[in-house]
Amino acid sequence: MARSQEWDDPGAWRAIARETLQAFDAIFSPGLYGWSQEEGGAVAVKHLERGRELLQPILDRYVAGARTSWGRAWRRWGVGRGPYVVAFDEAIAHARARAAGEPERDWPMLWIRDGRLRLLQRYTGDRRVLDTIGEEEA
């Protein structure tokens, strides 16, 4: 997707990054919180679903920013199959499998730092986002 003003919302991206990092912690280190693997998976599902909810308004603004109805339909189709939606869908499926005690799946794209999710990875590279979000909200 082309980068446009509809995508520029640093506060929203920080909040999404916070949710994805908290989900990562729940999946990767559930013992640090006293959780079993399954409990960590369940916590991760909640954070990922919240992150996906926070992403939706950004996607909606991008779709609404098209100049024509055909353009809006094209954008809606594109974001529905785009890397951000796919990444969240993969991560949620992974976390749900973990919560159900199923065998491990492939590592979700959401946590792979290969540049495909550039807008989100801008904020997940700095773990301090977990602290700064709480301060901004207060």
Side-chain angles (χ1 to χ4, degrees):
M1 275 180 228
R3 185 176 160 116
S4 64
Q5 289 180 351
E6 294 89 0
W7 285 96
D8 291 333
D9 189 345
W13 285 111
R14 282 187 193 99
I16 296 165
R18 182 187 65 202
E19 296 298 335
T20 60
L21 289 171
Q22 289 175 332
F24 177 84
D25 286 347
I27 288 286
F28 194 69
S29 305
L32 291 176
Y33 303 98
W35 301 326
S36 67
Q37 294 277 340
E38 291 81 8
E39 290 169 327
V43 169
V45 167
K46 290 178 184 175
H47 285 292
L48 291 167
E49 288 175 342
R50 177 69 180 136
R52 179 62 180 85
E53 288 173 11
L54 292 169
L55 177 63
Q56 192 59 50
I58 295 171
L59 301 176
D60 291 343
R61 280 194 305 273
Y62 174 71
V63 168
R67 287 180 255 155
T68 65
S69 59
W70 186 85
R72 283 187 293 282
W74 179 257
R75 283 184 175 192
R76 189 175 305 106
W77 178 83
V79 297
R81 289 157 184 77
Y84 292 92
V85 171
V86 169
F88 270 95
D89 289 348
E90 286 177 356
I92 290 169
H94 180 88
R96 284 187 178 145
R98 172 74 65 94
E102 296 175 6
E104 288 294 313
R105 298 176 179 223
D106 292 336
W107 197 243
M109 176 180 29
L110 188 65
W111 296 311
I112 297 172
R113 299 195 56 79
D114 63 359
R116 284 185 276 183
L117 304 173
R118 193 173 35 88
L119 293 167
L120 180 59
Q121 290 169 354
R122 176 188 320 162
Y123 299 101
T124 57
D126 183 1
R127 302 274 307 189
R128 290 178 293 178
V129 74
L130 291 170
D131 297 329
T132 59
I133 292 300
E135 293 170 6
E136 291 174 5
E137 290 174 350

